[in-house]
Amino acid sequence: MKKITFILLTSLISATAFAQVSESTASATANAAADIVSPIAIESSQDLNFGKVANNAAGTVVVDTDSDVSTSTLSQIGSITPTAATFDVTAADGFSYSIALPETVDLSNGTEEITVDNFNHNAEGNTTGSGSAQTVGVGATLNVAANQATGNYTGTFEVTVTYE
């Protein structure tokens, strides 16, 4: 009888151990998803141009994002109309993006430099992609020194767009 009790007890312990093993694991499933979004793109469509400016005094020329000259303490000369730069930004429909502008840029006539700063754009509150090109105007301030050397000052600046 001791043998039967021992065998029964051993069987009970073994059954309990197997029952605990099967109850100590569980599994579940989850969904997986991905949104494949077209890459953001930017293309320059018009250059920033401050026009022809007299160099007889120090001053500034401010070209707004809509190409208006909002402030100029200097005389505009000739028929070149100042223009804001424009960029075409293409971002996926419904996806927000940010625009990064330079702080300052130096233009050069080959020997002398002139500083452009206060870059700004007109896309505030409208930086959500539509899937089509959206035009963004960029304006800035030209800082002319007294008796600035004459010449054609040129340079480049970079505008960066990034999905948020």
Side-chain angles (χ1 to χ4, degrees):
M1 175 122 148
K2 285 185 180 183
K3 272 187 170 183
I4 296 175
T5 306
F6 178 73
I7 293 173
L8 259 167
L9 187 57
T10 306
S11 296
L12 242 136
I13 292 171
S14 296
T16 305
F18 287 125
Q20 287 177 348
V21 169
S22 65
E23 291 177 9
S24 66
T25 62
S27 63
T29 60
N31 294 326
D35 284 334
I36 307 302
V37 179
S38 59
I40 194 165
I42 185 169
E43 188 175 310
S44 175
S45 56
Q46 179 173 284
D47 293 331
L48 176 62
N49 190 327
F50 292 96
K52 293 183 184 250
V53 181
N55 68 338
N56 55 344
T60 59
V61 177
V62 179
V63 175
D64 290 334
T65 59
D66 62 359
S67 293
D68 285 344
V69 176
S70 64
T71 309
S72 181
T73 57
L74 303 170
S75 301
Q76 290 284 328
I77 301 169
S79 61
I80 298 199
T81 303
T83 57
T86 56
F87 295 86
D88 293 327
V89 177
T90 305
D93 188 28
F95 286 82
S96 296
Y97 59 91
S98 61
I99 301 172
L101 302 171
E103 288 190 29
T104 63
V105 170
D106 290 327
L107 308 181
S108 173
N109 71 355
T111 56
E112 301 290 324
E113 291 186 341
I114 192 167
T115 301
V116 177
D117 61 10
N118 296 319
F119 285 86
N120 58 84
H121 64 80
N122 62 0
E124 295 299 327
N126 190 27
T127 54
T128 300
S130 65
S132 299
Q134 297 168 292
T135 301
V136 175
V138 175
T141 301
L142 177 71
N143 299 285
V144 180
N147 299 313
Q148 182 81 44
T150 59
N152 182 21
Y153 288 80
T154 60
T156 61
F157 67 97
E158 185 172 273
V159 175
T160 304
V161 291
T162 306
Y163 280 128
E164 295 183 328

